[in-house]
């Protein structure tokens, strides 16, 4: 129990004191036994008031303070600092909000506002008298980061993290780096080749000895939390003897007789069983598809010095201070029969066309026939008002239009038809739309309720549409090929990552950030960040932007080496707890785990992970959990305090008769008043003039000048010539 | 169901400038055009048809003939797609589609064929003059006979079949059911529009002076035609007819000189992109008026016998005019514009029924 409490009640320059009788309240609480100081102050947040509080705490040896003013959102940290400066534990302070909760909402009923304020202050006093001294929790942070996914976002983040001296573990599921970018040809706006971008990033990565790249690797197990995540990796072997020189490996690769489907080329061609995704793929070491090669023992026997099919998977343990997830996306795969996909020849997706263009440098040939015209159908698998993908994939419009420009550049005589729902080539990409229009591409608009229909007629395809640009006329487009402009989907295996790290996913099934605008790369799991297309559709520019944002957050975290967390977290009463699992079940942050304590199984709180949300406390059947600063004792005392009977003397004449003689002393003036008075020296000014001279917002000046007028600090002095504004001057008597 | 044909753009470009790939379907042209209404999104709809190459829809439309090229749409177009000029190109293309001989299309598309035809006619005139041993009296007699024959033949062989084709494309094929009585009721519209360009008065941005010039030119041209053919201007003794002819031919070359100069100066929207057919039309009309004036002047001053070349030139111009420009060139807009008004009146009456 605290015995020497200080209570500070704020006028807020009239904001509170116009309706709540602060003077009466301060007198009333002064009479109480455990209250040593009870003051009403014009602006409790003013520098002078803060200094006075520090002096009070030290002079009267206060052991707790209650500040009754505005919302803790505004000034919680201000007064925690005041307490700390005076040598008081910052958690022996309670904020009571009598502005947003009393004077503002109850301005029509000043007496009731005062009664409510008295109740809240009493509750605050009761709470602070049970308050404990708490210390911030310091967590050590390992100077290492784990990045999941070596696409453009992950690789760029790895380089930047390594550059600032951190240990980086870059984990890639595929045997080769680059992700989707490596599959693309030229990329829009910069016209660079996708694989060139990846090659240059890879060479940059190789310059940093503090980056460890794991390819063919997956995350198997995750434990620990911010500062020290324990990760278990499974690294699949390449089944190639690394000691054999590259030339020999290449000759074996060339000789390999077996071919299977090539997922990198989206099934357009076959690949060998010993393969690289594309000739320049990195790391520059082929991979053996061991399963497929097992049925050819002769071949394996012949090259047993090169092939090592008995090589085994490795499990590797890592420690990382922070985690960045850049797992990217899956291309939407149309259902069989969706716009004739897989049921009609020459209906392919945009990623497939991009691969086809890479494989056909001179002449666009598909199914043995040269392609002279292409109809692009937009929004396939995106913006479904009834389907599961409601989002817009944002990069596909530009991607399709850019592809059409590439087609014309590469193969000259080719006609493109764009059948869209809306064109969204936002920002600088708009010029591509114009170029495409100028090169003779034709645009048609359909609505979701009247989807285009594709039929085969002889050797070509016919797209039947109701064109909204031609007064909804039924049109037929004869074309050699139909390309479905597919959007981005959350990765199929994203759920696994989400479960391992407890990253929440949205209704769109992409990873969720805390706040789309203000915390765009942070997740609710401390120390785990997301970037790139794993959190929603993005183009390369946007992916890299978010990845660098996350990188700078991680660098800041790792640089400090420690993390200071609020001590307001769950605490377990070890005697009462009998580990029933109920608390761990409801915890959104996986902060509760079973631990052994003196031979007994009890719940343990991970201090780094607990967010102090309090959801565990009410579900505990033994009442063994309490939240610091919100203990039962504190809460019960608050309720008792609020319900206690109070005697308040009502002031005569209501609130309007605030006496002029209660003029405030100069040192109590808030900074704004001082600035206003500084420009009002020796003369009379109108509000616009004051605003202009003081560079303050005129609304702010109006508000404060009115308050100053009320307290007799300034007085009106006639009107200006146009009779629009009053002049004000400093009141000589106010000092 | 209409089939999209992107190659149509290439064909249409031979009939005049068009840049409808610049069009992004904003509809500003329609918003500014006084011809558009709730049913017809003119000219956007026609631009779209042209872009997609929907030839049947274009052939069925009378709208290009209703446009008098005030140029508002081209001014308002944010992409400089020149919708007004596209209507001009469409009129040329439609003329060639109506023409059963296909010669209109050949002359519109090919400069060399046009020059060749003009040269051939000049040669024929010289041969003819030579066969008459350069006897002016005989030549003038033949010239007069030629004029009467050609008027009759062009009407019978070219214009009537072409107008029937126009009727087929715009009324019959689109299945407009019109009672014969309607054809009679609407007839007044045909003549009013034929002689007055009344439709132009409905345009929001109108050039009254130009309208008056055009009106006087039409009247002067038709009456000079009447004066030379039926009153035999070059061979009359009537002072009234002589003076009438002078006045008519004077008006023709004065107004056409203004038209030619504004095409050179490009001072109006409709003069911005002059094609070969536009130049030939105004210049030949101007020279025809001028030479006719001088032929009669030389007769009246008695110096014609020593200056037979004046008549040779006049006759050449006349023959080129009557054999090429009238049946296959820009002259036909006189008919198609007025018949378009007539057919659209029939259409609207038929729908009202």
């Amino acid at each position: 129990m605290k015995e020497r409490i200080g209570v500070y009640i704020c006028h807020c320059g009239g904001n509170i004191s116009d309706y709540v009788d602060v003077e009466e309240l301060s007198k009333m609480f002064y009479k109480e036994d455990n209250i040593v100081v009870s003051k009403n102050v014009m602006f409790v947040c003013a520098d002078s008031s803060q200094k006075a509080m520090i002096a009070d705490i030290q002079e009267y040896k206060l052991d707790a303070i209650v500040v009754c003013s505005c919302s803790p959102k505004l000034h919680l940290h201000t007064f925690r600092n005041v307490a700390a400066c005076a040598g008081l534990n910052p958690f022996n302070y309670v904020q009571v909000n009598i502005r947003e909760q009393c004077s503002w909402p109850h301005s029509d009923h000043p007496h009731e506002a005062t009664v409510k304020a008295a109740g809240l202050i009493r509750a605050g006093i009761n709470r602070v008298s049970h308050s404990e001294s708490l210390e911030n929790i310091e967590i050590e942070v390992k100077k290492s980061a784990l990045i999941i996914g070596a696409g453009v976002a992950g690789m760029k983040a790895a380089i930047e993290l390594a550059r600032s001296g951190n240990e980086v573990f870059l984990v890639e599921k595929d045997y080769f780096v680059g992700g989707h970018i490596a599959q693309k040809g030229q990329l829009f706006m910069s016209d660079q080749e996708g694989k060139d971008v990846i090659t240059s990033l890879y060479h940059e990565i190789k310059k940093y000895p503090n980056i460890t790249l794991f390819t063919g690797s997956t995350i198997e197990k995750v434990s620990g939390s911010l500062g020290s995540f324990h990760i278990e990796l499974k690294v699949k072997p390449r089944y190639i003897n690394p000691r054999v020189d590259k030339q020999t490996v290449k000759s074996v690769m060339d000789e390999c007789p077996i071919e299977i489907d090539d997922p990198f080329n989206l099934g357009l061609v076959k690949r060998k069983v010993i393969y690289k995704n594309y000739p320049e793929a990195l790391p520059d070491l082929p991979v053996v598809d061991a399963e497929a090669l097992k049925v050819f023992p002769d071949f394996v026997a012949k090259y047993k010095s090169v092939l090592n099919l008995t090589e085994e998977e490795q499990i590797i343990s890592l420690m990382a201070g922070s985690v960045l997830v850049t797992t990217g996306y899956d291309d939407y795969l149309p259902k069989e029969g969706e716009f004739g996909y897989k049921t009609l020849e020459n209906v392919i997706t945009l990623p497939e066309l991009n691969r086809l263009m890479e494989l056909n440098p001179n002449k666009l040939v598909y199914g043995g026939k040269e392609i002279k015209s292409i109809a692009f159908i937009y929004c396939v698998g995106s913006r479904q008002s009834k389907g599961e993908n409601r989002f817009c994939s944002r990069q596909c419009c530009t991607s399709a239009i850019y592809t059409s420009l590439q087609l014309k550049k590469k193969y000259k005589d080719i006609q493109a038809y764009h059948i869209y729902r809306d064109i969204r080539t936002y920002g600088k990409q708009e010029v591509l739309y114009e170029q495409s229009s100028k090169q003779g591409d034709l645009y048609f608009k359909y609505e979701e309720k009247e989807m285009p229909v594709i039929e085969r007629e002889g050797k070509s395809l016919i797209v039947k549409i109701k064109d909204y640009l031609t007064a909804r006329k039924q049109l037929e487009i004869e074309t050699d090929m139909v390309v479905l402009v597919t959007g981005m989907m959350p990765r199929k295996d994203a759920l696994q990552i989400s479960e391992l790290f407890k990253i929440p996913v949205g209704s769109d099934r992409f990873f969720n950030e805390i706040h789309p605008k203000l915390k765009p790369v942070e997740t609710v799991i401390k120390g785990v960040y997301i970037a790139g297309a794993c959190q929603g559709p993005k183009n390369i520019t946007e992916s890299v932007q978010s990845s660098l944002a996350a990188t700078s957050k991680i660098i800041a975290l790792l640089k400090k080496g420690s993390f200071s967390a609020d001590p307001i977290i769950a605490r377990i009463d070890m005697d009462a707890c009998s580990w029933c699992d109920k608390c761990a079940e409801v915890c959104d942050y996986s902060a509760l785990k079973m631990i052994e304590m003196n031979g007994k199984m009890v719940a343990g709180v991970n201090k780094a992970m607990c967010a102090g949300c309090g959801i565990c406390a009410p579900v505990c059947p033994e009442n063994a959990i309490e939240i610091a600063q919100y203990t039962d004792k504190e809460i019960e005392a608050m309720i008792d305090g609020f319900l206690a009977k109070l005697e308040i003397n009502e002031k005569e004449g209501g609130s309007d008769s605030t006496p002029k003689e209660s003029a405030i002393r100069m040192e109590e003036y808030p900074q704004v008043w001082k600035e206003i008075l500084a420009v009002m020296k020796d003369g009379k000014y109108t509000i616009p003039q004051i605003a202009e001279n003081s560079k303050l917002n005129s609304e702010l000046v109006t508000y404060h000048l009115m308050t100053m007028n009320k307290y007799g600090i300034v007085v009106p002095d006639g009107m200006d010539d146009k009779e629009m504004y009053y002049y004000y001057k400093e009141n000589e008597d106010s000092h | 169901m209409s089939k999209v044909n992107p190659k149509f753009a290439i064909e249409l470009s031979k009939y005049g400038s068009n840049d409808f790939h610049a069009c992004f379907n904003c509809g500003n042209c329609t918003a500014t055009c006084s011809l558009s209404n709730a049913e017809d999104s003119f000219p956007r709809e026609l631009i779209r048809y042209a872009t997609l190459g929907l030839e049947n829809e274009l052939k069925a439309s009378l709208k290009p003939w209703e446009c008098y090229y005030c140029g508002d749409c081209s001014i308002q177009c944010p992409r400089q797609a020149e919708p007004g000029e596209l209507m001009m190109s469409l009129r040329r293309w439609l003329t060639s589609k109506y023409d059963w001989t296909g010669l209109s299309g050949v002359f519109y598309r090919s400069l060399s064929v046009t020059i060749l035809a003009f040269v051939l006619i000049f040669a024929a005139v010289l041969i003819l003059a030579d066969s008459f041993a350069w006897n002016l009296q005989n030549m003038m007699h033949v010239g007069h006979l030629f004029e009467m024959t050609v008027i009759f033949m062009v009407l019978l062989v070219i214009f009537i079949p072409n107008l029937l084709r126009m009727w087929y494309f715009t009324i019959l094929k689109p299945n407009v059911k019109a009672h014969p009585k309607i054809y009679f009721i609407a007839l007044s519209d045909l003549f009013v529009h034929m002689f007055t360009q009344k439709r132009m008065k409905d345009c929001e941005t109108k050039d009254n002076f130009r309208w008056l010039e055009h009106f006087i030119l039409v009247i002067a041209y038709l009456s000079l035609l009447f004066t030379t053919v039926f009153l035999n201007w070059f061979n009359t003794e009537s002072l009234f007819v002589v003076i009438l002819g002078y006045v008519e031919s004077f008006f023709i070359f004065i107004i056409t000189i203004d038209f030619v100069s504004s095409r050179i100066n490009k001072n109006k929207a409709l003069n911005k992109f002059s094609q070969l057919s536009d130049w030939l039309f105004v210049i030949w009309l101007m020279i025809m008026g001028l030479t006719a004036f001088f032929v009669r002047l030389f007769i009246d001053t008695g110096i014609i016998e020593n200056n037979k070349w004046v008549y040779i030139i006049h006759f050449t111009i006349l023959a080129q005019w009557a054999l090429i420009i009238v049946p296959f060139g820009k002259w036909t807009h006189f008919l198609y514009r007025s018949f378009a008004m007539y057919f659209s009146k029939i259409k609207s009456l038929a729908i009202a029924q």
Side-chain angles (χ1 to χ4, degrees), chain A residues 415 417 433-434 437-438 440-444 457 462 464 467 469-470 473-478, chain B residues 1-7 19-25 44-45 48-49 51-52 54 57 79:
Chain A
Q415 175 69 45
Y417 304 97
Y433 170 69
E434 191 165 337
S437 179
K438 290 251 156 91
D441 288 7
L442 293 178
Y443 283 80
F444 304 85
E457 198 179 279
I462 302 284
K464 292 183 174 174
D467 180 24
L469 296 181
T470 318
K473 208 174 168 58
Q474 282 288 351
L475 296 178
E476 279 185 7
I477 300 166
E478 192 179 336
Chain B
M1 222 28 130
S2 313
K3 203 161 213 164
V4 173
N5 171 23
K7 300 252 182 324
D19 189 12
F20 43 64
H21 286 313
C23 170
F24 58 17
N25 295 291
R44 202 193 81 99
E45 185 180 58
R48 189 68 187 159
Y49 288 165
T51 312
L52 303 185
L54 308 182
E57 282 76 1
R79 305 263 293 188

Side-chain angles (χ1 to χ4, degrees), chain A residues 166-200:
Chain A
N166 300 298
E167 171 101 58
V168 179
F169 305 110
L170 180 56
V171 178
E172 171 56 48
K173 191 175 72 172
D174 196 4
Y175 286 103
F176 303 97
V177 297
H180 287 282
I181 309 301
Q183 281 176 308
K184 310 266 177 212
Q186 284 188 308
L187 306 170
F188 59 73
M189 299 330 275
S190 68
D191 292 341
Q192 268 173 299
E193 289 278 335
K195 53 185 189 213
D196 293 348
V197 172
I198 295 307
T199 304
S200 75

Side-chain angles (χ1 to χ4, degrees), chain A residues 384-542:
Chain A
Q384 304 167 321
S385 62
K386 292 202 182 70
E388 55 181 0
N389 299 342
R390 298 202 163 197
F391 48 84
C392 160
S393 274
R394 121 189 224 101
Q395 48 73 45
C396 11
C397 282
T398 315
S399 196
I401 290 172
Y402 184 73
T403 301
S404 146
L405 294 174
Q406 295 296 108
L407 283 167
K408 197 89 167 183
K409 216 154 71 182
K410 215 166 170 178
Y411 310 114
K412 307 290 178 283
D413 183 25
I414 198 157
Q415 175 69 45
Y417 304 97
H418 300 264
I419 301 162
Y420 67 88
R421 275 172 67 195
D422 291 289
I423 292 285
R424 295 175 177 178
T425 48
Y426 56 97
K428 294 178 180 179
Q429 302 155 26
E430 179 71 3
V431 293
L432 299 178
Y433 170 69
E434 191 165 337
Q435 279 171 26
S436 133
S437 179
K438 290 251 156 91
Q439 78 173 12
D441 288 7
L442 293 178
Y443 283 80
F444 304 85
K445 181 175 160 67
Y446 75 95
E447 287 281 307
E448 196 187 12
K449 57 176 191 266
E450 285 153 332
M451 292 277 203
V453 177
I454 295 152
E455 286 165 14
R456 175 154 286 284
E457 198 179 279
K459 282 185 176 168
S460 27
L461 292 165
I462 302 284
V463 185
K464 292 183 174 174
I465 58 157
K466 203 171 210 182
D467 180 24
Y468 275 65
L469 296 181
T470 318
R472 303 206 289 160
K473 208 174 168 58
Q474 282 288 351
L475 296 178
E476 279 185 7
I477 300 166
E478 192 179 336
T479 179
D480 294 337
M481 175 177 265
V482 168
V483 171
L484 307 180
V485 180
T486 49
M488 289 176 167
M489 293 267 287
R491 266 196 188 276
K492 270 194 212 81
D493 45 11
L495 221 57
Q496 230 173 294
I497 298 285
S498 153
E499 271 167 21
L500 283 169
F501 288 96
K502 308 285 174 200
I503 306 170
V505 293
S507 58
D508 51 21
R509 302 167 334 280
F510 284 106
F511 292 146
N512 247 7
E513 61 284 321
I514 295 181
H515 189 286
K517 292 182 174 68
L518 304 176
K519 293 196 170 183
V521 291
E522 292 97 322
T523 68
V524 291
I525 308 302
K526 286 178 200 150
V528 178
Y529 298 84
I530 50 174
C534 70
Q535 66 175 138
K538 285 190 183 72
N539 65 28
I540 297 169
T541 310
E542 292 153 355

Side-chain angles (χ1 to χ4, degrees), chain A residues 232-302:
Chain A
E232 262 182 32
L233 283 186
K234 187 169 86 186
V235 183
K236 286 184 288 176
R238 288 175 116 87
Y239 304 110
I240 294 243
N241 190 344
R243 275 180 289 278
V244 178
D245 67 288
K246 277 182 186 158
Q247 212 47 47
T248 319
V249 174
K250 192 166 184 314
S251 64
V252 177
M253 212 168 128
D254 292 342
E255 240 173 89
C256 172
I258 318 128
E259 292 201 326
I260 54 169
D261 277 344
D262 181 359
F264 182 80
N265 281 311
L266 308 170
L268 290 166
V269 286
K270 298 268 177 191
R271 72 156 193 225
K272 300 220 161 161
V273 172
I274 305 171
Y275 71 100
K276 283 175 75 178
N277 277 348
Y278 55 102
E280 304 90 343
L282 294 164
D284 187 15
L285 187 64
V287 178
V288 179
D289 195 324
E291 278 305 306
L293 204 55
K294 265 180 193 155
V295 283
F296 292 86
D298 294 348
F299 186 81
V300 178
K302 189 175 169 194

Side-chain angles (χ1 to χ4, degrees), chain B residues 80-137:
Chain B
Q80 288 78 47
E82 298 290 346
E85 191 53 28
L86 177 66
M87 293 306 117
M88 194 75 219
S89 306
L90 280 176
R91 285 193 285 273
R92 294 186 196 112
W93 179 79
L94 283 174
T95 304
S96 77
K97 289 289 142 184
Y98 298 155
D99 181 20
W100 67 273
T101 65
L103 282 170
S104 296
V106 175
F107 288 131
Y108 275 126
R109 291 190 303 253
S110 168
L111 173 67
S112 48
V113 172
T114 311
I115 292 172
L116 184 70
F118 274 65
V119 171
L120 282 177
I121 288 172
F122 181 50
V125 170
L126 290 182
I127 292 165
L128 189 78
D130 194 54
S131 72
F132 285 104
W134 306 90
N135 179 312
L136 194 66
Q137 210 56 38

